[in-house]
Amino acid sequence: MSDLLVVGSVALDSVKTPFGAVQEILGGSATYFSYAASFFSPVQLVAVVGEDFPQAHLDLLKRRDVDLTGLQVAKGRTFRWAGEYGYDLNEAKTLDTQLNVFADFRPDLPESYRQPSFLFLANIDPDLQWEILHQVERPRLVAMDTMNFWINGKRQALERILSEADALIINDGEARQLTQEPNLVKAAEAVLAFGPQLVVIKRGEYGAVLFAHGNFFFAPAFPLAAVLDPTGAGDSFAGGFMGALARDGGMDEAGLRRAVVYGSVMASFAVEDFSLRRFTRLRPEEIEERFRAFQEMVTFQ
Ligand code: AMP
């Protein structure tokens, strides 16, 4: 089994969708990622939380055997994010971002974290992503994500880390914003020009597209009758994608395509309830069942 390391946010989210509203529930890019990936591979997490972070949330991750040696508890308040969605659930409107303890976070990776085979730089300050990358021996695959907050606020730092990453996993709106290119094929080409050899563009309910080595693969989103909260879909996608690569090892075209489908499977579970609630009820058999349902959905003569 390969090691999978993630750095990203561990957060308290307040979210409003047309189907409900929740206050200060468990969220964060590294949280969704590591929980989703834990169904496939051992995961090591790097992040910081404040003294106000509920122990029950840590216990939830520990029950999935997520390695929390690299999770610091610092004086101060945990990162907080507040967002809202309209009936078009594909786009989150950020109402508030409070970096809190992330503002002064200087990670010093434990020795046991320094040789990951797979590294995911989840959505967080690109300077922090860069620091983590430079504290590990070069992994087999370095993938990353980002969002409008950092594209607008830290563009130079973002381009620096992007030039060293192998893969970018990003949603369509952010790909357009990053590249200033409305056409998605051209946006993908522009991302590749920044440095990565592989880009996955997530398109919410319209699925995900993989561009790699001149090839192109499209996976639909699973047709769900009830989507309660899209928060974390992107990170859960990345968790399924990287987890499947770490578990199965192959990064040839077939392996990458399977990983995109596992990513889509995990995203489809994440959105069925608020926070990580659906994941906490998820049985591994359901992942394989949905994977097969995806296969059937796109097979035709
Ligand atoms: P997504 O998968 O894109 O829906 O990511 C949702 C998660 O990203 C939420 O749980 C938030 O806590 C987290 N988040 C929102 N804004 C930021 C930010 N600027 N930096 C890091 N994490 C964030």
Side-chain angles (χ1 to χ4, degrees):
M1 201 79 89
S2 313
D3 293 325
L4 176 54
L5 177 64
V6 59
V7 59
S9 55
V10 172
L12 295 174
D13 286 351
S14 297
V15 179
K16 195 166 165 217
T17 82
F19 314 105
V22 285
Q23 293 290 322
E24 306 219 329
I25 49 161
L26 176 61
S29 56
T31 313
Y32 281 103
F33 178 92
S34 53
Y35 206 98
S38 73
F39 287 94
F40 299 84
S41 156
V43 190
Q44 301 179 304
L45 181 148
V46 185
V48 61
V49 292
E51 289 163 318
D52 57 351
F53 195 70
Q55 179 62 36
H57 294 344
L58 300 179
D59 293 341
L60 203 87
L61 292 168
K62 279 190 198 150
R63 277 202 292 278
R64 290 293 321 159
D65 283 333
V66 175
D67 185 346
L68 300 180
T69 317
L71 180 77
Q72 286 180 26
V73 180
K75 260 206 165 74
R77 278 160 64 80
T78 298
F79 176 96
R80 278 167 170 76
W81 177 75
E84 190 177 31
Y85 302 81
Y87 278 104
D88 176 4
L89 292 167
N90 288 323
E91 209 170 328
K93 186 173 159 215
T94 292
L95 302 173
D96 189 27
T97 304
Q98 296 174 20
L99 293 180
N100 297 333
V101 286
F102 264 105
D104 304 310
F105 181 45
R106 292 287 158 272
D108 181 15
L109 287 195
E111 217 32 63
S112 59
Y113 273 49
R114 287 178 183 253
Q115 287 151 338
S117 304
F118 293 83
L119 172 61
F120 189 64
L121 306 168
N123 179 29
I124 197 64
D125 186 333
D127 279 325
L128 184 54
Q129 294 176 318
W130 194 87
E131 266 187 56
I132 298 296
L133 177 59
H134 288 266
Q135 287 186 24
V136 297
E137 272 179 31
R138 183 76 197 184
R140 281 181 66 201
L141 184 78
V142 178
M144 61 174 281
D145 182 16
T146 194
M147 72 180 290
N148 45 18
F149 188 82
W150 306 111
I151 298 173
N152 293 333
K154 282 222 163 178
R155 174 129 205 144
Q156 256 189 336
L158 188 57
E159 288 190 19
R160 177 173 72 151
I161 182 67
L162 205 47
S163 74
E164 294 192 41
D166 302 310
L168 178 68
I169 304 176
I170 194 173
N171 74 31
D172 48 0
E174 279 140 12
R176 290 190 173 101
Q177 198 180 349
L178 173 66
T179 60
Q180 326 231 303
E181 177 51 73
N183 176 286
L184 271 195
V185 176
K186 286 193 182 145
E189 283 165 3
V191 168
L192 299 177
F194 280 118
Q197 298 92 55
L198 197 155
V199 53
V200 181
I201 299 184
K202 298 161 293 174
R203 307 185 57 222
E205 64 180 312
Y206 305 113
V209 198
L210 164 75
F211 299 82
H213 317 297
N215 292 319
F216 171 86
F217 175 64
F218 177 79
F222 196 74
L224 295 168
V227 175
L228 290 194
D229 174 16
T231 309
D235 310 304
S236 306
F237 177 97
F241 179 84
M242 296 291 281
L245 289 179
R247 182 188 68 185
D248 302 336
M251 282 196 288
D252 54 356
E253 183 64 23
L256 288 172
R257 288 180 178 211
R258 269 196 305 275
V260 169
V261 175
Y262 276 117
S264 307
V265 166
M266 297 315 285
S268 75
F269 286 120
V271 303
E272 286 183 322
D273 207 338
F274 284 87
S275 186
L276 283 88
R277 286 178 195 160
R278 179 63 178 97
F279 278 162
T280 58
R281 305 191 296 269
L282 183 61
R283 289 173 293 111
E285 312 86 80
E286 291 179 284
I287 297 176
E288 298 308 324
E289 267 165 37
R290 201 165 276 186
F291 182 86
R292 285 192 294 275
F294 260 93
Q295 255 171 343
E296 256 171 52
M297 208 164 70
V298 295
T299 302
F300 59 92
Q301 303 284 317

